[in-house]
Amino acid sequence: MKKLYIFCLAVSGLAACKPKLEPEKPEAGQLQLSRYLAVGSSFTAGFSDGTLTKTGQNFSFPNMLAEQFGLVGGGEFKQPLLPGDNGYPNPKLVLAARRGPCDTNTSITAVRYTGALDSSNSSNSVAIGGPYNNTGIPGIRAVDYIKSGYASEPSGNRFARRFFANLGARPIDEVTRVNSTFFSLWIGSEDVLGYATGGGKESAIQLSGVTEFAAAYDSVVTNLVKKGAKGVAMNIPDITSMPFFTTIPGKFVNLTRRQADDLNATNTMTFVRFNEGANYPVIQDGADLRLLVEGEMVLLSLPMDSVKCAGWGTKKPIPGNYVLTLAEIAAAQKATDDFNVIINTVNKAKNIATVDMFGYFKTIQSGVAFNGISYNANFINGSFFSLDGIHPSARGYALVANAIIREINLFYGAKISSVDANKFPGVKFP
Amino acid sequence: MKKHVLIATTLALSSAMSYGAGYQLNLQGLRQIAMGGSGTAVPWDMSTIFYNPGGMTAMDHWQIYAGAAFVTPHTKYVESTGTYEAETQSQTFVPFSIYAGGPTSWRSPVSIGVGIYTPFGNGVKWDDNWRGRYVSQEANLHTVFIQPTVSYKFSEVVSAGIGLIYATGRMELRRAVPIADENNVDSRVELAGNGHGFGFNAGVHINASEKVQVGFNFRSKVNMDVDRGYASFTVPQSLQTAFPYTAFSSSLPMPMVTSLGVGYAVNECLTLQGDINIVGWSAFDNLDINYENNTPQLQDQSSVRNYRNTVSVRVGGHYTVSDRVAVMAGAAYDPTPVRDGYVTPELPDANRGILSAGLTYKPFERWTVMGALEFASSVNRQSSFDEGGFSGRYKTNAFVPAIGASFDF
């Protein structure tokens, strides 16, 4: 035995006796991943912090998936990258220590980036570099995929316009220019989100009709699988699992005794009596003025300066586009449920894998831990969501990618390795 | 933020070792190291103060004894499926032992002595940017036990001894916190504190026959209480008041060990011995950190460890070559106290096997010099730390050369 030690020490040094351990080799199973196509909306594009940036595109879940696929035969993954990092078309949200005009204390809040903006080239067409593997188009609804001229001027989707070779084409024909062997499909969220983020019935975008949605979704999937590609498709998360809708509590108007008395003395809205402490705000609901009721949602887009300086919620009603009433919430949730039934049914019929993102976002809400970080649906501090409260952070997208990989592995008998979320940046504090 | 920090610091003091099972070191005597760590039955020298105080009366003269081991553990981590791998940085730890003791007078049935030794400790250091950095970057635990001991020979057959233990130690932990500044640099936390505790070590030694010796030893649990450690956070400026420099208190159990050993003299030259150790790891059920200054973001933490008791088996042989030279060899099986779901990169523990050998040489009548070499290797363990959502496979090897000397009066 001693001879063995001496041999080990003398001949090869301690290094030779270091532990030998190799990870299990990833395998594609029955999948052919040489041409991966990502189809979808803002989640697929890599939208984060309220905008699209080059970095966000590089941290999109399809790009992360493509990197993992690269270990098992995946090919080149082209994205219609933006030239800059400050946001297109809006500046990105960043955390800053700010004091609002009516605040006495500074607090850390999400504000639009105020530095120099990216070059105007952001809106230039990059179609010449296509076709692209990541065809995520922020804002696109499932029902838009079968509309001719979706990207055309003047009202067309500016993200689509950036990389569509034929602006007049139906999006489904344009995005399938990559003749894929495998695809990911995550559409339908915008069919609900446009309505919900715009304040429900006050929004410029209304909920898609169920029949219209069913026809569009079926057409999209049919187009994607017609040449034999396999795929994975995600369903629609519930709006109530996103901090954009859940961060501001119903009773967010906090008053001192004195403030409450003053308001009550001068108030012309006789149905309101303010109390010391937490109060429901006054809202505009259609033609009516009324108090918010429990279960209704105040959106994160509510300008807090107006609340503090202009008396929104106390002296003036909060406009309906910052509030989801019980009826609006119910409508959004019913649409989500209806669309998800369609998504699941079509996916099953076409034999593609379905990732239950509705369920996964709920899981995030109750909290998960991955590689030493705990994630939940809290705004700013929950790690999963970016500063817009709807789209994941880079690390959040990594978790999304892992949820998709788990389902791919299960459905197709593959062994694709998971994404290390810790490689990606978290929320940055000033 | 609360959750953030919770995860950031919950995992903090999960202890630090990668050599013995759990954070135990079995390196308190040279001959015993060379014989797989067995040593309860046969009092070879004054190191019996550790292995069995009851055996101290077998020595008819005073002896001072000192030894040191050089532990260089290597742990490798790989993700389960993929390409990622990481190794701990190479570090050498030097657990030591010093014993002095002997009969109170010529042929006295009473022997007294003192042992100073390091029964628990070691450390792990990962690269700062490795995948598990939010669970652990570096962890160290050092302990020193000081044990004044008395032993009494009831008859030629039975002796018993007991020693009080005063334990002192230090723990240090460092890890990244997933809160980034504007340049995307992680925050971090460093916890360091000195602890101390009390316990005892008692043993019975029986000369069952000409050839057979039996030993029984019980070393009590020692709670290392850290009353005032210090936690230092490096965080973005806007969060500095939320993470004050603060004292913390904590407690880490050094588990009780019950040992039963048998020694058998095959002939005048060859002695075989074997031990069974029952280690009371279940005492390590929770790890709590209580900060003196709490803020909404910085809360006290409790993390479940849920260790289980273990039974290790150790065997060895001692062969006297001549008046001056003896050689030894041994082996042991040391199972892990860490259950599945609780394996952290601070303590990437797994069942391990040990092979060992050594030799002693007497250059002069009263001097003995000793050398031993041990190789420990863990099984390749697929494991997870569920609380932190961190999983993968680990394997640890350690080479332990050890040297020592004794002087007989």
Side-chain angles (χ1 to χ4, degrees):
Chain A
M1 189 51 55
K2 240 173 84 185
K3 268 187 182 164
L4 188 71
Y5 290 142
I6 291 163
F7 180 81
C8 196
L9 279 166
V11 176
S12 30
L14 284 173
C17 298
K18 282 187 177 179
K20 286 191 180 55
L21 184 64
E22 301 298 331
E24 195 182 3
K25 230 174 126 81
E27 286 165 18
Q30 48 167 301
L31 291 177
Q32 223 277 65
L33 297 166
S34 56
R35 285 188 307 280
Y36 162 46
L37 170 68
V39 178
S41 54
S42 54
F43 290 135
T44 298
F47 205 86
S48 203
D49 291 334
T51 195
L52 194 65
T53 62
K54 186 178 181 180
T55 300
Q57 291 174 298
N58 283 326
F59 296 155
S60 64
F61 81 81
N63 203 42
M64 296 179 187
L65 288 182
E67 193 183 328
Q68 301 311 105
F69 293 167
L71 303 172
V72 288
E76 189 191 9
F77 189 77
K78 270 199 213 174
Q79 302 197 95
L81 292 177
L82 283 161
D85 248 345
N86 298 332
Y88 174 75
N90 300 311
K92 63 187 171 187
L93 290 161
V94 292
L95 276 185
R98 286 285 158 83
R99 193 161 72 187
C102 308
D103 292 324
T104 46
N105 298 317
T106 41
S107 57
I108 302 171
T109 44
V111 296
R112 290 283 171 185
Y113 170 79
T114 52
L117 280 175
D118 296 324
S119 69
S120 55
N121 295 336
S122 292
S123 58
N124 289 1
S125 172
V126 292
I128 193 118
Y132 291 100
N133 299 76
N134 187 347
T135 64
I137 303 164
I140 194 168
R141 298 170 300 168
V143 295
D144 294 327
Y145 272 89
I146 51 171
K147 285 183 182 161
S148 300
Y150 175 72
S152 313
E153 303 280 351
S155 59
N157 185 310
R158 64 181 101 205
F159 296 101
R161 209 151 59 219
R162 282 190 66 244
F163 71 93
F164 274 26
N166 175 4
L167 294 183
R170 298 190 310 164
I172 184 58
D173 298 324
E174 183 66 36
V175 301
T176 47
R177 286 172 63 219
V178 166
N179 194 5
S180 69
T181 58
F182 185 82
F183 65 86
S184 68
L185 175 66
W186 193 357
I187 59 173
S189 301
E190 306 279 0
D191 298 68
V192 180
L193 273 177
Y195 171 82
T197 56
K201 58 184 184 290
E202 291 84 1
S203 174
I205 305 165
Q206 292 299 301
L207 293 166
S208 300
V210 175
T211 319
E212 206 188 351
F213 184 94
Y217 191 81
D218 188 72
S219 172
V220 168
V221 178
T222 304
N223 270 282
L224 285 167
V225 300
K226 73 180 171 198
K227 287 182 182 159
K230 299 195 163 151
V232 59
M234 282 57 83
N235 65 6
I236 307 169
D238 186 6
I239 57 162
T240 63
S241 56
M242 298 171 179
F244 184 83
F245 301 98
T246 57
T247 300
I248 300 179
K251 278 188 172 180
F252 72 90
V253 179
N254 286 302
L255 301 171
T256 61
R257 179 75 262 163
R258 172 99 189 258
Q259 285 170 325
D261 289 346
D262 287 354
L263 282 168
N264 290 334
T266 56
N267 206 335
T268 53
M269 296 182 284
T270 49
F271 62 94
V272 188
R273 196 168 163 78
F274 291 104
N275 300 309
E276 183 180 359
N279 291 265
Y280 287 113
V282 178
I283 63 162
Q284 184 90 45
D285 181 13
D288 297 336
L289 296 189
R290 62 171 176 87
L291 281 176
L292 193 80
V293 299
E294 193 54 44
E296 294 187 322
M297 293 170 165
V298 182
L299 308 187
L300 200 55
S301 50
L302 176 69
M304 290 313 280
D305 282 354
S306 301
V307 170
K308 285 169 179 156
C309 307
W312 280 22
T314 49
K315 295 174 187 161
K316 293 178 189 170
I318 289 176
N321 57 323
Y322 297 110
V323 173
L324 284 183
T325 63
L326 290 176
E328 289 167 338
I329 295 166
Q333 290 189 312
K334 170 144 197 336
T336 304
D337 291 344
D338 290 346
F339 298 163
N340 280 343
V341 168
I342 293 163
I343 288 171
N344 290 342
T345 310
V346 174
N347 294 352
K348 205 163 183 183
K350 306 288 182 188
N351 199 27
I352 60 175
T354 304
V355 185
D356 179 19
M357 281 299 167
F358 184 93
Y360 188 69
F361 275 51
K362 296 279 180 204
T363 311
I364 295 296
Q365 218 167 7
S366 46
V368 299
F370 184 66
N371 282 0
I373 302 179
S374 74
Y375 293 86
N376 60 42
N378 289 350
F379 184 55
I380 298 178
N381 305 317
S383 290
F384 182 82
F385 286 97
S386 71
L387 298 177
D388 61 36
I390 295 169
H391 300 93
S393 64
R395 285 177 176 171
Y397 276 125
L399 264 61
V400 165
N402 285 340
I404 296 169
I405 287 170
R406 267 196 300 279
E407 187 58 38
I408 292 174
N409 287 344
L410 205 65
F411 194 85
Y412 293 108
K415 281 185 189 165
I416 295 160
S417 52
S418 54
V419 177
D420 175 19
N422 294 1
K423 274 202 309 204
F424 302 103
V427 174
K428 294 171 188 172
F429 283 79
Chain B
M1 185 55 52
K2 191 167 162 183
K3 277 277 185 179
H4 245 126
V5 175
L6 199 65
I7 196 73
T9 29
T10 334
L11 321 177
L13 282 178
S14 76
S15 87
M17 288 44 40
S18 72
Y19 167 64
Y23 40 88
Q24 192 180 9
L25 302 166
N26 289 293
L27 304 167
Q28 284 73 34
L30 269 293
R31 290 178 212 258
Q32 293 90 343
I33 294 171
M35 289 190 277
S38 63
T40 310
V42 184
W44 295 102
D45 46 39
M46 264 307 151
S47 62
T48 196
I49 286 175
F50 171 83
Y51 288 95
N52 183 354
M56 205 162 52
T57 53
M59 308 280 293
D60 60 6
H61 56 275
W62 273 71
Q63 184 184 67
I64 57 172
Y65 179 110
F70 303 87
V71 185
T72 309
H74 289 283
T75 298
K76 188 169 179 182
Y77 164 87
V78 298
E79 65 180 323
S80 300
T81 305
T83 54
Y84 186 81
E85 52 182 64
E87 266 179 56
T88 54
Q89 292 179 20
S90 192
Q91 295 186 99
T92 301
F93 303 91
V94 188
F96 63 90
S97 46
I98 300 166
Y99 305 100
T104 50
S105 61
W106 174 244
R107 295 203 165 176
S108 163
V110 179
S111 286
I112 55 168
V114 64
I116 301 169
Y117 52 88
T118 50
F120 298 97
N122 220 328
V124 174
K125 189 175 186 180
W126 298 93
D127 286 336
D128 278 359
N129 277 319
W130 86 295
R131 178 176 288 190
R133 63 187 178 276
Y134 300 124
V135 187
S136 176
Q137 288 171 323
E138 188 173 4
N140 283 296
L141 175 76
H142 301 284
T143 63
V144 176
F145 281 27
I146 300 166
Q147 181 195 318
T149 308
V150 60
S151 182
Y152 185 76
K153 190 183 219 168
F154 292 96
S155 70
E156 287 306 315
V157 177
V158 179
S159 302
I162 185 164
L164 287 174
I165 291 171
Y166 169 71
T168 176
R170 180 169 180 80
M171 51 177 82
E172 294 165 336
L173 295 129
R174 185 166 63 82
R175 74 204 148 68
V177 177
I179 300 173
D181 69 10
E182 283 173 321
N183 300 317
N184 203 32
V185 175
D186 281 330
S187 299
R188 61 176 195 273
V189 56
E190 293 175 57
L191 294 155
N194 296 322
H196 63 268
F198 291 93
F200 67 92
N201 186 15
V204 177
H205 178 250
I206 298 164
N207 284 312
S209 73
E210 283 281 299
K211 286 181 174 281
V212 177
Q213 300 178 67
V214 177
F216 174 80
N217 191 65
F218 178 80
R219 201 170 62 253
S220 74
K221 179 176 88 164
V222 176
N223 273 322
M224 293 288 274
D225 296 316
V226 178
D227 293 330
R228 274 187 85 79
Y230 271 88
S232 145
F233 296 89
T234 308
V235 296
Q237 203 203 339
S238 61
L239 297 173
Q240 278 171 8
T241 51
F243 295 92
Y245 180 67
T246 177
F248 72 91
S249 61
S250 186
S251 183
L252 189 64
M254 305 296 127
M256 70 90 178
V257 182
T258 304
S259 302
L260 181 65
V262 178
Y264 178 70
V266 178
N267 55 41
E268 282 200 354
C269 296
L270 179 65
T271 301
L272 300 177
Q273 64 181 31
D275 276 21
I276 288 173
N277 308 132
I278 301 162
V279 188
W281 282 113
S282 64
F284 196 20
D285 51 359
N286 279 296
L287 184 70
D288 300 322
I289 299 177
N290 302 306
Y291 293 104
E292 201 169 88
N293 296 323
N294 289 117
T295 69
Q297 292 84 3
L298 183 61
Q299 299 290 314
D300 294 341
Q301 291 127 22
S302 181
S303 178
V304 179
R305 284 295 171 267
N306 200 16
Y307 276 27
R308 64 178 162 216
N309 294 338
T310 61
V311 178
S312 55
V313 181
R314 304 169 184 286
V315 293
H318 186 283
Y319 187 80
T320 307
V321 178
S322 71
D323 287 349
R324 290 181 181 272
V325 177
V327 293
M328 293 125 254
Y333 176 69
D334 204 0
T336 178
V338 189
R339 293 176 211 259
D340 289 341
Y342 299 88
V343 182
T344 75
E346 283 167 342
L347 185 61
D349 207 40
N351 298 336
R352 65 194 63 209
I354 292 164
L355 291 172
S356 61
L359 116 153
T360 64
Y361 175 65
K362 283 175 87 109
F364 307 106
E365 178 56 33
R366 294 173 170 222
W367 280 99
T368 306
V369 293
M370 299 165 278
L373 195 54
E374 176 170 312
F375 177 67
S377 182
S378 72
V379 300
N380 161 357
R381 184 176 194 187
Q382 168 62 47
S383 53
S384 66
F385 176 47
D386 295 345
E387 189 179 296
F390 192 76
S391 61
R393 288 189 285 146
Y394 301 93
K395 186 174 172 66
T396 301
N397 285 357
F399 249 107
V400 187
I403 53 165
S406 65
F407 183 78
D408 298 317
F409 290 91

